[in-house]
mmCIF file of all heavy atoms in Angstrom:
data_model
loop_
_atom_site.group_PDB
_atom_site.id
_atom_site.type_symbol
_atom_site.label_atom_id
_atom_site.label_comp_id
_atom_site.label_asym_id
_atom_site.label_seq_id
_atom_site.Cartn_x
_atom_site.Cartn_y
_atom_site.Cartn_z
ATOM 1 N N ARG A 93 -27.498 148.970 91.003
ATOM 2 C CA ARG A 93 -28.946 149.205 90.871
ATOM 3 C C ARG A 93 -29.253 150.151 89.723
ATOM 4 O O ARG A 93 -28.548 151.096 89.445
ATOM 5 C CB ARG A 93 -29.500 149.798 92.169
ATOM 6 C CG ARG A 93 -29.412 148.881 93.373
ATOM 7 C CD ARG A 93 -30.113 149.536 94.565
ATOM 8 N NE ARG A 93 -29.988 148.708 95.744
ATOM 9 C CZ ARG A 93 -29.161 148.954 96.756
ATOM 10 N NH1 ARG A 93 -28.424 150.037 96.722
ATOM 11 N NH2 ARG A 93 -29.109 148.164 97.813
ATOM 12 N N ASP A 94 -30.428 149.863 89.102
ATOM 13 C CA ASP A 94 -30.972 150.737 88.070
ATOM 14 C C ASP A 94 -31.973 151.732 88.632
ATOM 15 O O ASP A 94 -32.151 152.847 88.131
ATOM 16 C CB ASP A 94 -31.706 149.927 86.982
ATOM 17 C CG ASP A 94 -30.755 149.406 85.920
ATOM 18 O OD1 ASP A 94 -29.594 149.845 85.877
ATOM 19 O OD2 ASP A 94 -31.190 148.555 85.113
ATOM 20 N N ILE A 95 -32.690 151.301 89.681
ATOM 21 C CA ILE A 95 -33.839 152.048 90.180
ATOM 22 C C ILE A 95 -33.502 152.709 91.526
ATOM 23 O O ILE A 95 -32.953 152.067 92.437
ATOM 24 C CB ILE A 95 -35.059 151.137 90.317
ATOM 25 C CG1 ILE A 95 -35.428 150.573 88.919
ATOM 26 C CG2 ILE A 95 -36.251 151.877 90.927
ATOM 27 C CD1 ILE A 95 -36.495 149.508 88.942
ATOM 28 N N ASP A 96 -33.826 153.952 91.644
ATOM 29 C CA ASP A 96 -33.557 154.758 92.829
ATOM 30 C C ASP A 96 -34.238 154.135 94.080
ATOM 31 O O ASP A 96 -35.425 153.858 94.076
ATOM 32 C CB ASP A 96 -34.099 156.174 92.588
ATOM 33 C CG ASP A 96 -33.530 157.193 93.546
ATOM 34 O OD1 ASP A 96 -33.156 156.784 94.668
ATOM 35 O OD2 ASP A 96 -33.464 158.379 93.189
ATOM 36 N N MET A 97 -33.438 153.901 95.121
ATOM 37 C CA MET A 97 -33.964 153.314 96.361
ATOM 38 C C MET A 97 -34.990 154.254 97.036
ATOM 39 O O MET A 97 -35.737 153.836 97.891
ATOM 40 C CB MET A 97 -32.830 153.007 97.332
ATOM 41 C CG MET A 97 -32.021 151.748 96.970
ATOM 42 S SD MET A 97 -33.045 150.251 97.087
ATOM 43 C CE MET A 97 -33.324 150.174 98.859
ATOM 44 N N ALA A 98 -34.976 155.526 96.652
ATOM 45 C CA ALA A 98 -35.923 156.487 97.220
ATOM 46 C C ALA A 98 -37.364 156.081 96.939
ATOM 47 O O ALA A 98 -38.294 156.427 97.704
ATOM 48 C CB ALA A 98 -35.632 157.875 96.710
ATOM 49 N N PHE A 99 -37.588 155.307 95.882
ATOM 50 C CA PHE A 99 -38.949 154.856 95.569
ATOM 51 C C PHE A 99 -39.520 153.954 96.652
ATOM 52 O O PHE A 99 -40.716 153.832 96.800
ATOM 53 C CB PHE A 99 -38.985 154.120 94.215
ATOM 54 C CG PHE A 99 -38.935 155.009 93.034
ATOM 55 C CD1 PHE A 99 -37.809 155.088 92.240
ATOM 56 C CD2 PHE A 99 -40.053 155.771 92.680
ATOM 57 C CE1 PHE A 99 -37.766 155.911 91.110
ATOM 58 C CE2 PHE A 99 -40.030 156.599 91.549
ATOM 59 C CZ PHE A 99 -38.871 156.692 90.791
ATOM 60 N N ALA A 100 -38.650 153.302 97.413
ATOM 61 C CA ALA A 100 -39.099 152.385 98.471
ATOM 62 C C ALA A 100 -39.902 153.123 99.542
ATOM 63 O O ALA A 100 -40.681 152.490 100.278
ATOM 64 C CB ALA A 100 -37.935 151.676 99.098
ATOM 65 N N LYS A 101 -39.724 154.446 99.643
ATOM 66 C CA LYS A 101 -40.437 155.217 100.663
ATOM 67 C C LYS A 101 -41.845 155.637 100.231
ATOM 68 O O LYS A 101 -42.639 156.136 101.036
ATOM 69 C CB LYS A 101 -39.615 156.477 101.017
ATOM 70 C CG LYS A 101 -38.246 156.149 101.602
ATOM 71 C CD LYS A 101 -37.439 157.424 101.816
ATOM 72 C CE LYS A 101 -36.033 157.113 102.351
ATOM 73 N NZ LYS A 101 -35.239 158.337 102.534
ATOM 74 N N GLU A 102 -42.143 155.444 98.935
ATOM 75 C CA GLU A 102 -43.457 155.814 98.417
ATOM 76 C C GLU A 102 -44.519 154.799 98.846
ATOM 77 O O GLU A 102 -44.298 153.597 98.771
ATOM 78 C CB GLU A 102 -43.403 155.883 96.889
ATOM 79 C CG GLU A 102 -42.462 156.939 96.330
ATOM 80 C CD GLU A 102 -42.997 158.347 96.571
ATOM 81 O OE1 GLU A 102 -44.244 158.535 96.561
ATOM 82 O OE2 GLU A 102 -42.184 159.256 96.768
ATOM 83 N N ARG A 103 -45.645 155.285 99.274
ATOM 84 C CA ARG A 103 -46.696 154.390 99.804
ATOM 85 C C ARG A 103 -47.328 153.485 98.741
ATOM 86 O O ARG A 103 -47.735 152.383 99.017
ATOM 87 C CB ARG A 103 -47.819 155.214 100.483
ATOM 88 C CG ARG A 103 -47.438 155.703 101.875
ATOM 89 C CD ARG A 103 -48.606 156.389 102.535
ATOM 90 N NE ARG A 103 -48.999 157.605 101.822
ATOM 91 C CZ ARG A 103 -50.027 158.369 102.152
ATOM 92 N NH1 ARG A 103 -50.786 158.018 103.181
ATOM 93 N NH2 ARG A 103 -50.304 159.441 101.491
ATOM 94 N N ASN A 104 -47.398 153.966 97.533
ATOM 95 C CA ASN A 104 -48.054 153.186 96.463
ATOM 96 C C ASN A 104 -47.041 152.483 95.559
ATOM 97 O O ASN A 104 -47.374 152.064 94.453
ATOM 98 C CB ASN A 104 -49.005 154.065 95.638
ATOM 99 C CG ASN A 104 -48.263 155.194 94.939
ATOM 100 O OD1 ASN A 104 -47.126 155.487 95.302
ATOM 101 N ND2 ASN A 104 -48.909 155.798 93.952
ATOM 102 N N VAL A 105 -45.803 152.363 96.045
ATOM 103 C CA VAL A 105 -44.732 151.723 95.270
ATOM 104 C C VAL A 105 -44.192 150.516 96.011
ATOM 105 O O VAL A 105 -43.930 150.579 97.223
ATOM 106 C CB VAL A 105 -43.590 152.693 94.941
ATOM 107 C CG1 VAL A 105 -42.380 151.955 94.337
ATOM 108 C CG2 VAL A 105 -44.063 153.783 93.993
ATOM 109 N N THR A 106 -44.007 149.409 95.296
ATOM 110 C CA THR A 106 -43.312 148.231 95.809
ATOM 111 C C THR A 106 -42.002 148.102 95.022
ATOM 112 O O THR A 106 -42.032 148.070 93.791
ATOM 113 C CB THR A 106 -44.125 146.944 95.647
ATOM 114 O OG1 THR A 106 -45.370 147.087 96.365
ATOM 115 C CG2 THR A 106 -43.372 145.737 96.204
ATOM 116 N N LEU A 107 -40.865 148.050 95.741
ATOM 117 C CA LEU A 107 -39.564 147.953 95.074
ATOM 118 C C LEU A 107 -38.903 146.633 95.460
ATOM 119 O O LEU A 107 -38.634 146.366 96.611
ATOM 120 C CB LEU A 107 -38.680 149.142 95.464
ATOM 121 C CG LEU A 107 -37.226 149.098 94.962
ATOM 122 C CD1 LEU A 107 -37.177 148.992 93.421
ATOM 123 C CD2 LEU A 107 -36.441 150.358 95.403
ATOM 124 N N ILE A 108 -38.669 145.828 94.463
ATOM 125 C CA ILE A 108 -37.960 144.539 94.633
ATOM 126 C C ILE A 108 -36.621 144.671 93.960
ATOM 127 O O ILE A 108 -36.540 144.961 92.771
ATOM 128 C CB ILE A 108 -38.754 143.380 93.987
ATOM 129 C CG1 ILE A 108 -40.184 143.321 94.554
ATOM 130 C CG2 ILE A 108 -38.031 142.050 94.197
ATOM 131 C CD1 ILE A 108 -41.125 142.465 93.742
ATOM 132 N N ASN A 109 -35.504 144.469 94.721
ATOM 133 C CA ASN A 109 -34.198 144.579 94.089
ATOM 134 C C ASN A 109 -33.389 143.300 94.232
ATOM 135 O O ASN A 109 -33.790 142.359 94.897
ATOM 136 C CB ASN A 109 -33.455 145.814 94.605
ATOM 137 C CG ASN A 109 -33.155 145.717 96.095
ATOM 138 O OD1 ASN A 109 -32.890 144.625 96.622
ATOM 139 N ND2 ASN A 109 -33.203 146.849 96.801
ATOM 140 N N ILE A 110 -32.215 143.316 93.573
ATOM 141 C CA ILE A 110 -31.458 142.068 93.425
ATOM 142 C C ILE A 110 -30.867 141.550 94.737
ATOM 143 O O ILE A 110 -30.637 140.368 94.897
ATOM 144 C CB ILE A 110 -30.341 142.280 92.367
ATOM 145 C CG1 ILE A 110 -29.861 140.936 91.829
ATOM 146 C CG2 ILE A 110 -29.187 143.106 92.943
ATOM 147 C CD1 ILE A 110 -29.037 141.057 90.547
ATOM 148 N N ASP A 111 -30.664 142.450 95.717
ATOM 149 C CA ASP A 111 -30.104 141.986 97.005
ATOM 150 C C ASP A 111 -31.019 140.941 97.655
ATOM 151 O O ASP A 111 -30.562 139.882 98.059
ATOM 152 C CB ASP A 111 -29.914 143.179 97.949
ATOM 153 C CG ASP A 111 -28.793 144.081 97.482
ATOM 154 O OD1 ASP A 111 -27.945 143.626 96.682
ATOM 155 O OD2 ASP A 111 -28.747 145.254 97.919
ATOM 156 N N GLY A 112 -32.316 141.277 97.732
ATOM 157 C CA GLY A 112 -33.266 140.353 98.325
ATOM 158 C C GLY A 112 -33.437 139.092 97.491
ATOM 159 O O GLY A 112 -33.577 137.987 98.017
ATOM 160 N N LEU A 113 -33.346 139.222 96.163
ATOM 161 C CA LEU A 113 -33.508 138.099 95.260
ATOM 162 C C LEU A 113 -32.354 137.119 95.399
ATOM 163 O O LEU A 113 -32.517 135.908 95.406
ATOM 164 C CB LEU A 113 -33.640 138.573 93.830
ATOM 165 C CG LEU A 113 -34.812 139.516 93.520
ATOM 166 C CD1 LEU A 113 -34.764 139.926 92.064
ATOM 167 C CD2 LEU A 113 -36.138 138.866 93.855
ATOM 168 N N GLN A 114 -31.134 137.658 95.501
ATOM 169 C CA GLN A 114 -29.949 136.803 95.652
ATOM 170 C C GLN A 114 -29.995 136.037 96.973
ATOM 171 O O GLN A 114 -29.571 134.892 97.045
ATOM 172 C CB GLN A 114 -28.678 137.652 95.550
ATOM 173 C CG GLN A 114 -28.384 138.127 94.128
ATOM 174 C CD GLN A 114 -27.209 139.032 94.039
ATOM 175 O OE1 GLN A 114 -26.874 139.742 94.996
ATOM 176 N NE2 GLN A 114 -26.560 139.109 92.886
ATOM 177 N N LYS A 115 -30.508 136.685 97.998
ATOM 178 C CA LYS A 115 -30.638 136.003 99.305
ATOM 179 C C LYS A 115 -31.580 134.816 99.190
ATOM 180 O O LYS A 115 -31.289 133.722 99.667
ATOM 181 C CB LYS A 115 -31.153 137.013 100.346
ATOM 182 C CG LYS A 115 -31.258 136.399 101.752
ATOM 183 C CD LYS A 115 -31.788 137.427 102.749
ATOM 184 C CE LYS A 115 -31.949 136.769 104.115
ATOM 185 N NZ LYS A 115 -32.512 137.726 105.112
ATOM 186 N N ILE A 116 -32.722 135.031 98.504
ATOM 187 C CA ILE A 116 -33.678 133.954 98.322
ATOM 188 C C ILE A 116 -33.056 132.823 97.473
ATOM 189 O O ILE A 116 -33.224 131.645 97.778
ATOM 190 C CB ILE A 116 -34.955 134.471 97.624
ATOM 191 C CG1 ILE A 116 -35.693 135.417 98.560
ATOM 192 C CG2 ILE A 116 -35.890 133.315 97.229
ATOM 193 C CD1 ILE A 116 -36.836 136.172 97.895
ATOM 194 N N ALA A 117 -32.288 133.212 96.429
ATOM 195 C CA ALA A 117 -31.655 132.220 95.552
ATOM 196 C C ALA A 117 -30.697 131.343 96.353
ATOM 197 O O ALA A 117 -30.656 130.121 96.171
ATOM 198 C CB ALA A 117 -30.934 132.897 94.402
ATOM 199 N N LYS A 118 -29.909 131.942 97.242
ATOM 200 C CA LYS A 118 -28.959 131.202 98.093
ATOM 201 C C LYS A 118 -29.703 130.259 99.022
ATOM 202 O O LYS A 118 -29.289 129.131 99.262
ATOM 203 C CB LYS A 118 -28.068 132.160 98.836
ATOM 204 C CG LYS A 118 -27.016 132.845 97.962
ATOM 205 C CD LYS A 118 -26.160 133.811 98.772
ATOM 206 C CE LYS A 118 -25.153 134.511 97.868
ATOM 207 N NZ LYS A 118 -24.321 135.487 98.637
ATOM 208 N N GLU A 119 -30.800 130.758 99.608
ATOM 209 C CA GLU A 119 -31.567 129.906 100.504
ATOM 210 C C GLU A 119 -32.164 128.736 99.740
ATOM 211 O O GLU A 119 -32.168 127.586 100.237
ATOM 212 C CB GLU A 119 -32.716 130.731 101.151
ATOM 213 C CG GLU A 119 -32.197 131.746 102.169
ATOM 214 C CD GLU A 119 -33.303 132.681 102.639
ATOM 215 O OE1 GLU A 119 -34.425 132.628 102.080
ATOM 216 O OE2 GLU A 119 -33.044 133.516 103.517
ATOM 217 N N ASN A 120 -32.671 128.997 98.543
ATOM 218 C CA ASN A 120 -33.214 127.923 97.704
ATOM 219 C C ASN A 120 -32.153 126.906 97.332
ATOM 220 O O ASN A 120 -32.424 125.709 97.269
ATOM 221 C CB ASN A 120 -33.831 128.492 96.430
ATOM 222 C CG ASN A 120 -35.191 129.170 96.699
ATOM 223 O OD1 ASN A 120 -35.714 129.086 97.798
ATOM 224 N ND2 ASN A 120 -35.744 129.795 95.671
ATOM 225 N N GLU A 121 -30.919 127.417 97.049
ATOM 226 C CA GLU A 121 -29.841 126.497 96.704
ATOM 227 C C GLU A 121 -29.510 125.559 97.855
ATOM 228 O O GLU A 121 -29.293 124.361 97.644
ATOM 229 C CB GLU A 121 -28.603 127.285 96.294
ATOM 230 C CG GLU A 121 -27.501 126.425 95.721
ATOM 231 C CD GLU A 121 -26.374 127.224 95.117
ATOM 232 O OE1 GLU A 121 -26.304 128.460 95.364
ATOM 233 O OE2 GLU A 121 -25.573 126.638 94.387
ATOM 234 N N LYS A 122 -29.504 126.106 99.075
ATOM 235 C CA LYS A 122 -29.263 125.276 100.251
ATOM 236 C C LYS A 122 -30.372 124.224 100.430
ATOM 237 O O LYS A 122 -30.098 123.082 100.734
ATOM 238 C CB LYS A 122 -29.178 126.132 101.494
ATOM 239 C CG LYS A 122 -27.881 126.966 101.594
ATOM 240 C CD LYS A 122 -27.880 127.832 102.832
ATOM 241 C CE LYS A 122 -26.625 128.689 102.897
ATOM 242 N NZ LYS A 122 -26.591 129.555 104.088
ATOM 243 N N GLU A 123 -31.611 124.665 100.189
ATOM 244 C CA GLU A 123 -32.729 123.735 100.289
ATOM 245 C C GLU A 123 -32.619 122.646 99.235
ATOM 246 O O GLU A 123 -32.882 121.458 99.485
ATOM 247 C CB GLU A 123 -34.066 124.468 100.165
ATOM 248 C CG GLU A 123 -34.431 125.310 101.383
ATOM 249 C CD GLU A 123 -35.835 125.845 101.288
ATOM 250 O OE1 GLU A 123 -36.771 125.062 101.018
ATOM 251 O OE2 GLU A 123 -35.999 127.060 101.474
ATOM 252 N N ARG A 124 -32.223 123.047 98.020
ATOM 253 C CA ARG A 124 -32.047 122.058 96.952
ATOM 254 C C ARG A 124 -30.979 121.020 97.330
ATOM 255 O O ARG A 124 -31.130 119.836 97.103
ATOM 256 C CB ARG A 124 -31.657 122.730 95.643
ATOM 257 C CG ARG A 124 -32.811 123.281 94.853
ATOM 258 C CD ARG A 124 -32.440 123.441 93.391
ATOM 259 N NE ARG A 124 -33.518 124.061 92.629
ATOM 260 C CZ ARG A 124 -33.603 124.012 91.320
ATOM 261 N NH1 ARG A 124 -32.689 123.394 90.612
ATOM 262 N NH2 ARG A 124 -34.607 124.617 90.673
ATOM 263 N N GLU A 125 -29.878 121.534 97.894
ATOM 264 C CA GLU A 125 -28.777 120.629 98.264
ATOM 265 C C GLU A 125 -29.271 119.628 99.311
ATOM 266 O O GLU A 125 -28.879 118.451 99.282
ATOM 267 C CB GLU A 125 -27.587 121.433 98.795
ATOM 268 C CG GLU A 125 -26.884 122.183 97.648
ATOM 269 C CD GLU A 125 -25.857 123.191 98.166
ATOM 270 O OE1 GLU A 125 -25.763 123.329 99.406
ATOM 271 O OE2 GLU A 125 -25.151 123.773 97.346
ATOM 272 N N ALA A 126 -30.079 120.079 100.262
ATOM 273 C CA ALA A 126 -30.587 119.196 101.288
ATOM 274 C C ALA A 126 -31.545 118.156 100.669
ATOM 275 O O ALA A 126 -31.504 116.976 100.994
ATOM 276 C CB ALA A 126 -31.347 119.976 102.365
ATOM 277 N N LEU A 127 -32.356 118.617 99.718
ATOM 278 C CA LEU A 127 -33.267 117.698 99.020
ATOM 279 C C LEU A 127 -32.524 116.706 98.152
ATOM 280 O O LEU A 127 -32.900 115.552 98.016
ATOM 281 C CB LEU A 127 -34.253 118.483 98.176
ATOM 282 C CG LEU A 127 -35.310 119.316 98.956
ATOM 283 C CD1 LEU A 127 -36.087 120.194 97.999
ATOM 284 C CD2 LEU A 127 -36.252 118.419 99.732
ATOM 285 N N VAL A 128 -31.397 117.175 97.565
ATOM 286 C CA VAL A 128 -30.576 116.258 96.767
ATOM 287 C C VAL A 128 -30.035 115.113 97.617
ATOM 288 O O VAL A 128 -30.002 113.972 97.163
ATOM 289 C CB VAL A 128 -29.394 117.053 96.101
ATOM 290 C CG1 VAL A 128 -28.295 116.101 95.618
ATOM 291 C CG2 VAL A 128 -29.911 117.876 94.942
ATOM 292 N N ARG A 129 -29.638 115.417 98.831
ATOM 293 C CA ARG A 129 -29.154 114.356 99.718
ATOM 294 C C ARG A 129 -30.269 113.340 99.987
ATOM 295 O O ARG A 129 -30.019 112.120 100.060
ATOM 296 C CB ARG A 129 -28.639 114.958 101.028
ATOM 297 C CG ARG A 129 -27.311 115.679 100.840
ATOM 298 C CD ARG A 129 -26.668 116.015 102.184
ATOM 299 N NE ARG A 129 -27.369 117.073 102.868
ATOM 300 C CZ ARG A 129 -27.129 118.379 102.695
ATOM 301 N NH1 ARG A 129 -26.216 118.762 101.819
ATOM 302 N NH2 ARG A 129 -27.804 119.301 103.356
ATOM 303 N N GLU A 130 -31.502 113.828 100.149
ATOM 304 C CA GLU A 130 -32.622 112.912 100.311
ATOM 305 C C GLU A 130 -32.834 112.082 99.013
ATOM 306 O O GLU A 130 -33.109 110.888 99.077
ATOM 307 C CB GLU A 130 -33.904 113.697 100.614
ATOM 308 C CG GLU A 130 -33.983 114.277 101.994
ATOM 309 C CD GLU A 130 -35.342 114.874 102.285
ATOM 310 O OE1 GLU A 130 -36.380 114.186 102.045
ATOM 311 O OE2 GLU A 130 -35.409 116.034 102.746
ATOM 312 N N GLY A 131 -32.685 112.750 97.881
ATOM 313 C CA GLY A 131 -32.828 112.070 96.595
ATOM 314 C C GLY A 131 -31.800 110.975 96.436
ATOM 315 O O GLY A 131 -32.102 109.893 95.938
ATOM 316 N N GLU A 132 -30.585 111.199 96.913
ATOM 317 C CA GLU A 132 -29.534 110.184 96.794
ATOM 318 C C GLU A 132 -29.881 108.957 97.650
ATOM 319 O O GLU A 132 -29.559 107.833 97.289
ATOM 320 C CB GLU A 132 -28.195 110.773 97.216
ATOM 321 C CG GLU A 132 -27.641 111.734 96.157
ATOM 322 C CD GLU A 132 -26.400 112.491 96.632
ATOM 323 O OE1 GLU A 132 -26.139 112.487 97.839
ATOM 324 O OE2 GLU A 132 -25.729 113.080 95.770
ATOM 325 N N GLY A 133 -30.558 109.209 98.795
ATOM 326 C CA GLY A 133 -31.030 108.097 99.621
ATOM 327 C C GLY A 133 -32.052 107.254 98.894
ATOM 328 O O GLY A 133 -32.032 106.015 98.942
ATOM 329 N N LEU A 134 -32.999 107.913 98.199
ATOM 330 C CA LEU A 134 -34.007 107.218 97.414
ATOM 331 C C LEU A 134 -33.382 106.423 96.284
ATOM 332 O O LEU A 134 -33.808 105.294 95.956
ATOM 333 C CB LEU A 134 -35.037 108.204 96.872
ATOM 334 C CG LEU A 134 -35.921 108.917 97.904
ATOM 335 C CD1 LEU A 134 -36.793 109.975 97.215
ATOM 336 C CD2 LEU A 134 -36.816 107.915 98.630
ATOM 337 N N ILE A 135 -32.354 107.009 95.656
ATOM 338 C CA ILE A 135 -31.654 106.335 94.588
ATOM 339 C C ILE A 135 -30.984 105.057 95.091
ATOM 340 O O ILE A 135 -31.066 103.995 94.452
ATOM 341 C CB ILE A 135 -30.608 107.249 93.920
ATOM 342 C CG1 ILE A 135 -31.322 108.265 93.012
ATOM 343 C CG2 ILE A 135 -29.554 106.465 93.123
ATOM 344 C CD1 ILE A 135 -30.409 109.314 92.424
ATOM 345 N N GLU A 136 -30.364 105.140 96.231
ATOM 346 C CA GLU A 136 -29.663 103.976 96.780
ATOM 347 C C GLU A 136 -30.617 102.829 96.995
ATOM 348 O O GLU A 136 -30.283 101.659 96.696
ATOM 349 C CB GLU A 136 -28.981 104.361 98.099
ATOM 350 C CG GLU A 136 -28.045 103.287 98.667
ATOM 351 C CD GLU A 136 -26.888 102.952 97.738
ATOM 352 O OE1 GLU A 136 -26.407 103.846 97.019
ATOM 353 O OE2 GLU A 136 -26.487 101.771 97.733
ATOM 354 N N GLU A 137 -31.816 103.100 97.480
ATOM 355 C CA GLU A 137 -32.830 102.033 97.693
ATOM 356 C C GLU A 137 -33.199 101.377 96.366
ATOM 357 O O GLU A 137 -33.187 100.141 96.251
ATOM 358 C CB GLU A 137 -34.091 102.639 98.341
ATOM 359 C CG GLU A 137 -33.872 103.144 99.759
ATOM 360 C CD GLU A 137 -35.096 103.886 100.291
ATOM 361 O OE1 GLU A 137 -36.177 103.782 99.636
ATOM 362 O OE2 GLU A 137 -34.981 104.588 101.301
ATOM 363 N N ASP A 138 -33.540 102.198 95.375
ATOM 364 C CA ASP A 138 -33.957 101.641 94.077
ATOM 365 C C ASP A 138 -32.831 100.977 93.332
ATOM 366 O O ASP A 138 -33.020 99.993 92.623
ATOM 367 C CB ASP A 138 -34.565 102.763 93.221
ATOM 368 C CG ASP A 138 -35.940 103.211 93.703
ATOM 369 O OD1 ASP A 138 -36.358 102.719 94.770
ATOM 370 O OD2 ASP A 138 -36.562 104.058 93.067
ATOM 371 N N LEU A 139 -31.622 101.533 93.487
ATOM 372 C CA LEU A 139 -30.476 100.986 92.801
ATOM 373 C C LEU A 139 -30.169 99.572 93.281
ATOM 374 O O LEU A 139 -29.783 98.700 92.468
ATOM 375 C CB LEU A 139 -29.257 101.886 93.023
ATOM 376 C CG LEU A 139 -27.979 101.528 92.284
ATOM 377 C CD1 LEU A 139 -28.192 101.545 90.785
ATOM 378 C CD2 LEU A 139 -26.842 102.491 92.671
ATOM 379 N N GLU A 140 -30.339 99.326 94.556
ATOM 380 C CA GLU A 140 -30.075 97.982 95.086
ATOM 381 C C GLU A 140 -30.955 96.954 94.423
ATOM 382 O O GLU A 140 -30.535 95.831 94.101
ATOM 383 C CB GLU A 140 -30.305 97.978 96.608
ATOM 384 C CG GLU A 140 -29.177 98.625 97.420
ATOM 385 C CD GLU A 140 -27.833 97.998 97.166
ATOM 386 O OE1 GLU A 140 -27.752 96.759 97.053
ATOM 387 O OE2 GLU A 140 -26.842 98.736 97.041
#
């Protein structure tokens, strides 16, 4: 981290750090993978 976590306790400060962002990125990757499987189903229909 670059930014002191103590700022998170300040009422007028919002602190977004990489831990939370990486968690969202992993969730998005899982969602993409699920959507890719759906996409492969659509491809199979059109490919036929």
Side-chain angles (χ1 to χ4, degrees):
R93 296 186 183 105
D94 274 349
I95 299 172
D96 197 332
M97 284 295 292
F99 282 108
K101 299 176 183 178
E102 297 289 327
R103 282 185 297 177
N104 61 344
V105 171
T106 300
L107 175 56
I108 304 165
N109 63 36
I110 201 165
D111 291 340
L113 301 179
Q114 287 175 334
K115 182 181 177 182
I116 294 170
K118 287 179 181 178
E119 290 171 355
N120 284 355
E121 187 170 15
K122 288 180 181 177
E123 287 188 51
R124 277 203 184 197
E125 288 170 355
L127 291 172
V128 163
R129 288 192 288 273
E130 288 187 50
E132 287 172 345
L134 293 174
I135 283 175
E136 189 60 33
E137 293 173 13
D138 287 5
L139 185 60
E140 285 302 320

